[in-house]
Amino acid sequence: MAEPSLSAGSASLAHRRATWLSPETGETIAQHDLMRTMARKRVVLLGESHDIAEIHRWQLHVTAFLHALRPQMAVGFEMFPRRIQPVLDAWVEGEMDTATFLERSEWAQVWGFDPELYLPLFHFCRQQRVPMLALNCHRPLVTRVGQIGWDAIPVDERDGVTPAAAATEGYRRYLAGIMSGFAGPDRPRAMEPDRFDRFIRAQQTWDRAFACGIADYLARAEGEPLVIGIIGRGHLEYGHGTPYQLRDLGIDDLAVLLPTDRASHDQESLKGIGDAIFRLDTPEPPSPRRPSPKASS
């Protein structure tokens, strides 16, 4: 997901490697202070670009920090549809090896990115017996909602997902900006209104599915666990997407942390993007997505 670009006449914020930055104030945040604050939340969402190894290393480091402060924890993953939950439970309990886990979780069919990017996080959960949560829904549901809307989907075919709160105008503008960034010679810069509405409904189905998965776990869990969400940053930035849907479900005590490899930021565009941003080491080249027999989450 592209980050805000520098715009003419706006203030530029320098961002040193290995430091956290407040998007609101532009000031550096001490890591130990930030982690203590995050450990008191109900939900902490860690945004990602799926194919960048350095981002997944960062997610692991933050998860380990927070686990040391708040051992009662679960980690939710966008990568797994909820029907895979029994496989995640068995993995955490040590009932299968890595190859079997990847096969039974249908990794190649459902996700397709290099599993080596994610395996350190999966092994951390297994070693520490941290519950792993399958946050996604059945892929055909996303397609159907995009095509015909929620009202036309029978309740028993919604995969446990409730209808999404209506998209704000801010979210619509945000998604329009993303789509314009993907435009190319053979793709128009602006979608037709009906097609754009279908895209928003599909995107919101994912947003709501992740939020429902987190909310459902918190409702049934004993005690007061912290839930970490491993989710694409396009579902998290500027309070849209999953944070917005979580608040609609009554979960307000949440935070969004994001990575960056940029040495400077446009201060105005950065405001509201998340609670804190960490500057990574220079990432290695993106890992190519592996062809899958059939993508079907």
Side-chain angles (χ1 to χ4, degrees), residues 62-73 124 128 130 226:
V62 173
T63 301
F65 274 129
L66 293 176
H67 185 258
L69 296 169
R70 186 95 171 266
Q72 189 179 4
M73 170 189 285
F124 173 84
Q128 300 296 324
V130 172
L226 168 64

Side-chain angles (χ1 to χ4, degrees), residues 137-170:
C137 59
H138 193 43
R139 179 60 180 266
L141 175 65
V142 178
T143 302
R144 291 177 67 195
V145 173
Q147 291 174 341
I148 62 178
W150 269 107
D151 291 344
I153 309 295
V155 173
D156 61 354
E157 296 178 14
R158 294 178 178 179
D159 202 14
V161 181
T162 56
T168 64
E169 284 305 311

Side-chain angles (χ1 to χ4, degrees), residues 47-241:
E48 68 170 58
S49 300
H50 305 312
D51 56 357
I52 303 297
E54 193 65 26
I55 290 177
H56 298 297
R57 296 180 187 120
W58 167 80
Q59 290 172 325
L60 174 60
H61 299 159
V62 173
T63 301
F65 274 129
L66 293 176
H67 185 258
L69 296 169
R70 186 95 171 266
Q72 189 179 4
M73 170 189 285
V75 182
F77 293 90
E78 171 187 353
M79 300 77 218
F80 300 105
R82 57 191 62 209
R83 60 187 167 79
I84 301 296
Q85 187 61 55
V87 180
L88 302 189
D89 295 341
W91 164 259
V92 171
E93 290 303 312
E95 297 176 8
M96 65 188 77
D97 61 18
T98 301
T100 303
F101 171 66
L102 294 175
E103 180 182 358
R104 290 186 56 193
S105 65
E106 303 174 26
W107 182 267
Q109 293 80 14
V110 168
W111 197 242
F113 289 96
D114 187 346
E116 295 298 330
L117 298 171
Y118 292 87
L119 280 171
L121 262 171
F122 301 160
H123 280 286
F124 173 84
C125 292
R126 179 183 172 112
Q127 288 177 355
Q128 300 296 324
R129 296 194 71 186
V130 172
M132 292 173 61
L133 311 178
L135 298 182
N136 217 322
C137 59
H138 193 43
R139 179 60 180 266
L141 175 65
V142 178
T143 302
R144 291 177 67 195
V145 173
Q147 291 174 341
I148 62 178
W150 269 107
D151 291 344
I153 309 295
V155 173
D156 61 354
E157 296 178 14
R158 294 178 178 179
D159 202 14
V161 181
T162 56
T168 64
E169 284 305 311
Y171 194 27
R172 293 177 69 89
R173 289 193 298 270
Y174 172 79
L175 292 177
I178 290 175
M179 294 310 297
S180 68
F182 289 137
D186 58 342
R187 286 173 290 180
R189 187 158 290 276
M191 281 186 179
E192 296 176 357
D194 288 348
R195 185 183 173 202
F196 185 56
D197 286 342
R198 292 196 296 271
F199 168 70
I200 288 177
R201 288 197 297 269
Q203 184 80 0
Q204 285 199 289
T205 305
W206 276 310
D207 297 336
R208 188 72 173 197
F210 308 153
C212 285
I214 292 169
D216 291 347
Y217 178 78
L218 288 172
R220 67 178 185 269
E222 296 182 0
E224 298 181 354
L226 168 64
V227 176
I228 304 293
I230 305 298
I231 296 171
R233 64 188 301 152
H235 295 284
L236 306 181
E237 292 183 343
Y238 295 103
H240 302 310

Side-chain angles (χ1 to χ4, degrees), residues 20-21 23 29 34-35 37-39 41 43-48 55 58-59 62-63 66 228-229 231-233 236-237 243 254-260 273-278:
W20 291 93
L21 197 69
I29 310 171
L34 179 65
M35 291 298 104
T37 299
M38 294 297 104
K41 299 289 185 180
V43 178
V44 176
L45 305 173
L46 305 181
E48 68 170 58
I55 290 177
W58 167 80
Q59 290 172 325
V62 173
T63 301
L66 293 176
I228 304 293
I231 296 171
R233 64 188 301 152
L236 306 181
E237 292 183 343
L254 63 92
V256 173
L257 303 180
L258 298 169
T260 182
I273 196 170
D275 292 82
I277 301 176
F278 184 81

